[in-house]
């Protein structure tokens, strides 16, 4: 009774709102986990990040590259483990907002590349970054 007419219009309304706001329309992706709506950063938001962060820490190409790579997962792992070498893979995943399996894959690649190794027991050991 009137409600049914509104069903199925959510995505259409999201796209319209993005166009009205002058932001990029989201990208829709469907996989085995469901339908994903991915929003790009608005230019104004990227500009505000540059204004708040010292420029020596941000590359000049930040607006173009930020959505693609804030930091590559392996580099993020190394940076984090330099600061806290006793973190578990689960804690690294939670800190970086990644799945544990993604972190374990990246750690395996870092180990195979000779950039990272674990010293000591699984519980209570520590990570060593190989420079």
């Amino acid at each position: 009774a009137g409600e049914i007419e509104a069903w199925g219009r959510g995505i259409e309304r999201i796209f319209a709102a993005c166009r009205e706001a002058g932001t990029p329309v989201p990208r829709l992706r469907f996989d085995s986990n469901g339908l994903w709506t991915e929003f790009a950063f608005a230019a104004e938001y990227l500009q505000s990040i540059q204004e708040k962060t010292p420029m020596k820490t941000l590359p000049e190409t930040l607006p173009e590259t930020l959505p693609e790579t804030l930091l590559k997962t392996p580099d993020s792992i190394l940076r984090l483990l330099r600061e806290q070498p006793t973190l578990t893979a689960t804690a690294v995943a939670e800190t970086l907002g990644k799945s544990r399996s993604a972190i374990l894959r990246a750690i395996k690649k870092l180990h195979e590349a000779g950039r990272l190794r674990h010293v000591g027991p699984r519980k209570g050991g520590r990570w060593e970054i190989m420079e």
Side-chain angles (χ1 to χ4, degrees):
E3 287 186 42
I4 294 176
E5 293 173 3
W7 286 8
R9 297 210 44 234
I11 293 173
E12 181 182 319
R13 294 172 77 185
I14 290 170
F15 277 53
C18 288
R19 281 191 291 273
E20 279 182 36
T23 61
V25 295
R27 185 181 130 204
L28 299 177
R29 180 172 54 87
F30 180 78
D31 63 23
S32 61
N33 294 319
L35 178 66
W36 296 86
T37 307
E38 298 174 348
F39 293 88
F41 289 108
E44 295 81 16
Y45 176 73
L46 295 174
Q47 183 64 35
S48 73
I49 291 173
Q50 285 180 323
E51 290 169 1
K52 294 177 185 174
T53 308
M55 289 308 293
K56 65 182 178 182
T57 63
L58 296 174
E60 295 224 300
T61 59
L62 179 67
E64 296 85 29
T65 60
L66 185 61
E68 300 167 6
T69 54
L70 282 169
L71 278 178
K72 298 283 186 197
T73 300
D75 294 332
S76 298
I77 292 169
L78 292 175
R79 180 179 50 80
L80 186 59
L81 292 177
R82 267 191 195 95
E83 297 169 5
Q84 301 176 57
T86 59
L87 285 178
T88 64
T90 301
V92 171
E94 290 172 1
T95 302
L96 298 179
K98 303 278 184 179
S99 69
R100 186 173 187 276
S101 60
I103 296 301
L104 291 175
R105 279 191 304 273
I107 286 173
K108 181 180 178 188
K109 288 180 183 179
L110 288 166
H111 177 74
E112 289 170 354
R115 297 180 67 197
L116 180 68
R117 74 177 179 163
H118 192 264
V119 178
R122 288 183 70 180
K123 291 185 178 185
R126 67 178 173 20
W127 296 98
E128 285 187 355
I129 287 81
M130 316 305 286
E131 298 298 331

